[in-house]
Amino acid sequence: MGKTKTNASGEHEEKGRDESAPELGAAGSQLSTAPREESAAALPAMGVIGWARWFWRQLTSMRVALILLFLLSLGAVPGSLIPQNSVDELKVQAFKEAHTTLTPIYEKLQFFDVYSSVWFSAIYILLFISLIGCIVPRTGQFIGQLRSRPPGAPKRLTRLPAYTTWRTEAEPEQVREAALATLRGRRFRAHVVGDAVAAEKGYLREAGNLLFHVSLIVMLVAFGYGQLFKSEGAKLIVEGDGFSNTLTQYDDFKSGSLFDYDGLAPFSFKLDDFVGTYERSGPQKGTARTFEARVTYEKGAYGKPRKTVIRVNEPLVVDGTKVYLNAHGYAPVVSVKDASGKEVYRNAVPLLPIDNNITSTGAIKVLDGYRDKSGKKTQLGFQAFFVPTFAGDGKGTMFSQFPAADMPVLALNAYHGYLGPDSGLAQNVYQLDKTKMKPFKDGENGDLKQRLAVGDTMKLPDGAASITFVGVEEWASFQISEQPASGWALGGSAAAIAGLAASLFIQRRRVWVRAVRGADGVTVVEMGGLGRSESARLSEELADLALTLHDRAPTAPDPAPTGSDGDAPDPDTDEGRPGGPGPDSVEESSEEPAEGAGK
């Protein structure tokens, strides 16, 4: 009669395995390459060497590796929420000015330079060492397991979490041959050991676990290499202007400590046109629909000109260097003439947006060529405020109601004096230093201010000069970056996900099939299964295997037993049913089934 036993006690698998370890022997070992936990009595003596060994074992344990990985993720949070010097120093400076209380604390904690801070680097290096210390010995153990065969069956298969047995008229050799063919057909590694067939499956679980941790190392190496050899710069280009990939052409440039400046990829490009269209109505009014820069680029010093379009998240890639489209704005074209009517300045001046409707501010600086009405050289400065679609006044200032240049208006405040370009101090091209400048006066109305539509002219007092709002050009801001080993980082992340999925969803398990001749000459078949972790799938798989094997070695008919008093057995019991339960029947009882020849 056949029976199947499953572990329904709900206890942790490791506990059950420890209790049955003396009986399972080698069959219940090496289902994992995880290092064995040592009892307190086995710890080394607490000397210098003892403490070093203890620290190394703690550092290379999987538990500490997971803690360090969590700390690394937690440490990256400030780098995402707080402006970083490596990304945008202007935002960092604005943050410091707005948060005077938090700034000293953040500076001491290195929150403005998270990824190069001492504490983040310490977590990074410890995690790297921990992963290597975990993987190297486990890899050796796993290779040893791959080269070895599944261990022989334990003496008492009834101790296993999944178990079934039945009697058959087939010869034991025939049953073992059928079991070997069935298990190999299910992609088990199987061989015959003594009177049983030993099989094992699910090696990809541990392979996935090792792949996950190796991939983490690859990602860490790629990240570190990329930080050391990376380069990143920004360039604002007005329509019609160009850029050549040399250090002097950048508005802002940052690089890793080991970056070679001679290694910049040789290429250049010109911004032919910027195209931006926006939603005209509805709840998404003003949202960008088209946002692209049409450029002509050349690879190398004598490369053939090629046209392409750069969009958001669709960069131009040249020899591993990527050109990203970052931002967009307007550059009013102005013309300045002196008292004699001679044009001394004509340029498209980029202004910086301050809201979603591209309301912009900036400065217009006339450094050379201008002379006042008396012929004396002086410098002019204009504080500029621009709106692409004029919507009237709002709380004392004008504002824009739409990001497209439907009705551009330029407001100017005029100054004269010394701008300080040769003072030796760095200046912001978008700000006007008024320390040595005097405002032009508008009679009794105070400082000279005026709003200009396209074509309007602002006359300076006493016929000194004039400035005309000629038209509007558009500009685009580009980020030019070279991030080596980014492909390795992407490949490592994909492999880590695949390895994690394998380690979570693949179960490593062992199956044994024993076939021996019983005392009455009938073959007794026993099947047992053992998994690394408790799962109902183990019992289901064993039942499926038992059904397949049962088709080739069916249950032998039971003899018609009689009771001690000569009466027939009770037909309501299993013993009274012909054939008894099949090999897929399940019992939750703790009573151990008969082991045939073992009893």
Side-chain angles (χ1 to χ4, degrees), residues 37-202:
E37 296 290 341
E38 296 187 0
S39 62
L43 290 176
M46 289 294 103
V48 176
I49 297 178
W51 277 110
R53 291 176 59 192
W54 178 86
F55 177 78
W56 175 252
R57 290 181 180 179
Q58 296 301 313
L59 180 61
T60 56
S61 67
M62 193 60 64
R63 177 177 59 256
V64 173
L66 292 175
I67 293 174
L68 290 172
L69 185 62
F70 171 75
L71 291 177
L72 191 70
S73 303
L74 189 63
V77 173
S80 303
L81 301 178
I82 301 173
Q84 298 294 295
N85 285 318
S86 60
V87 178
D88 194 332
E89 292 184 352
L90 293 178
K91 286 187 177 180
V92 173
Q93 187 63 35
F95 183 91
K96 290 180 178 180
E97 293 175 357
H99 303 84
T100 55
T101 303
L102 291 175
T103 295
I105 301 175
Y106 284 2
E107 287 179 340
K108 290 181 180 179
L109 296 175
Q110 299 179 298
F111 278 178
F112 296 114
D113 300 280
V114 168
Y115 303 110
S116 59
S117 62
V118 174
W119 55 269
F120 191 85
S121 301
I123 297 174
Y124 179 91
I125 294 173
L126 287 175
L127 177 60
F128 190 80
I129 296 174
S130 177
L131 288 174
I132 294 178
C134 285
I135 290 172
V136 171
R138 295 184 67 149
T139 302
Q141 294 177 22
F142 181 60
I143 293 175
Q145 292 181 21
L146 289 178
R147 297 178 60 185
S148 63
R149 290 188 170 188
K155 182 178 179 181
R156 304 186 65 185
L157 292 178
T158 55
R159 294 293 187 183
L160 299 179
Y163 173 83
T164 187
T165 182
W166 72 93
R167 293 153 51 88
T168 181
E169 293 181 343
E171 295 295 326
E173 294 78 9
Q174 296 176 348
V175 175
R176 287 193 286 268
E177 291 177 1
L180 188 64
T182 300
L183 290 168
R184 286 178 175 175
R186 301 291 183 91
R187 293 180 297 178
F188 278 83
R189 292 178 57 189
H191 68 118
V192 179
V193 183
D195 58 1
V197 176
E200 190 167 359
K201 189 178 182 180

Side-chain angles (χ1 to χ4, degrees), residues 3 64 111 162 246 474 525 555 562:
K3 295 183 180 179
V64 173
F111 278 178
T246 59
E474 297 187 71
V525 181
T555 302
T562 57

Side-chain angles (χ1 to χ4, degrees), residues 568-577:
D570 186 353
D572 293 332
T573 63
D574 283 344
E575 288 78 0
R577 295 196 193 104

